[in-house]
Amino acid sequence: MLDVHRLNLLRELSIRGTIAEVAAALNYSPSSVSQQLAILEREAGAELLRKSGRRLQLTPQALLLVEHTGELLDCLERAESALAASDTTVSGTVRLAVFQTAALALIPQSLNLMRHRHPNVRIEMVQHEPETALHETWPATLTSSSRNSTQATLRSTIKA
């Protein structure tokens, strides 16, 4: 069976033109890319690359594989997306900068509701003066990194 990772290297070679560019783009060494492409040739049982001066030229068989690799990668991406969409667990971390009046009025009820609805969500809260809290959000030191609808749930919880 052909290895998807190696097929992707061949596809990248068809796009970028040289092994050095493929290696740089994917953070591999050029020799590693060459070795993987040689293994792919053995797996395929066909010559995939021909030397043409200092460059490599893809054979018709390689071009055929490149075409199918694009379709295969698209299919794998759709499968990964479908799998991710099927996960209804909300998890992650929400970081809040709050000022005292908001903290006292809104946060206790919101935290209680979040704990019951989304126990896998971690909420980190820092108390600041209003102008400082707003200022802290600009450099993204207080952002939310979450899956699915954690932010929306927190927003709707606070509005309620």
Side-chain angles (χ1 to χ4, degrees):
M1 171 148 323
L2 300 174
D3 182 82
V4 175
H5 206 38
R6 291 184 191 110
L7 286 168
N8 189 45
L9 289 175
L10 183 66
R11 181 176 168 273
E12 288 292 324
L13 181 61
S14 75
I15 294 167
R16 299 183 189 281
T18 67
I19 287 181
E21 288 181 36
V22 172
L26 300 177
N27 294 318
Y28 294 136
S29 68
S31 64
S32 175
V33 173
S34 293
Q35 289 171 1
Q36 293 301 308
L37 290 173
I39 293 169
L40 180 61
E41 275 190 323
R42 287 194 297 276
E43 288 174 349
E47 181 184 34
L48 301 176
L49 305 170
R50 285 193 196 117
K51 285 203 173 216
S52 175
R54 293 190 57 177
R55 299 196 95 159
L56 290 174
Q57 185 177 24
L58 276 65
T59 65
Q61 291 83 2
L63 294 173
L64 180 68
L65 282 178
V66 166
E67 181 182 331
H68 285 283
T69 299
E71 295 169 15
L72 178 63
L73 292 174
D74 288 344
C75 183
L76 288 172
E77 187 175 328
R78 285 192 305 275
E80 286 177 345
S81 293
L83 183 61
S86 73
D87 183 9
T88 58
T89 302
V90 177
S91 62
T93 301
V94 176
R95 292 177 188 86
L96 300 173
V98 297
F99 48 94
Q100 188 172 1
T101 22
L104 294 174
L106 302 173
I107 299 302
Q109 180 185 359
S110 300
L111 289 176
N112 192 33
L113 196 53
M114 286 295 292
R115 182 178 49 135
H116 291 293
R117 286 190 186 170
H118 305 291
N120 295 327
V121 173
R122 176 187 168 122
I123 299 186
E124 297 175 357
M125 189 172 53
V126 188
Q127 185 176 329
H128 288 292
E129 292 301 317
E131 60 278 352
T132 310
L134 183 59
H135 182 335
E136 287 292 320
T137 61
W138 289 110
T141 56
L142 296 167
T143 59
S144 71
S145 59
S146 58
R147 293 189 64 192
N148 297 338
S149 60
T150 306
Q151 245 184 330
T153 302
L154 188 60
R155 266 194 296 264
S156 65
T157 301
I158 290 173
K159 285 180 185 175

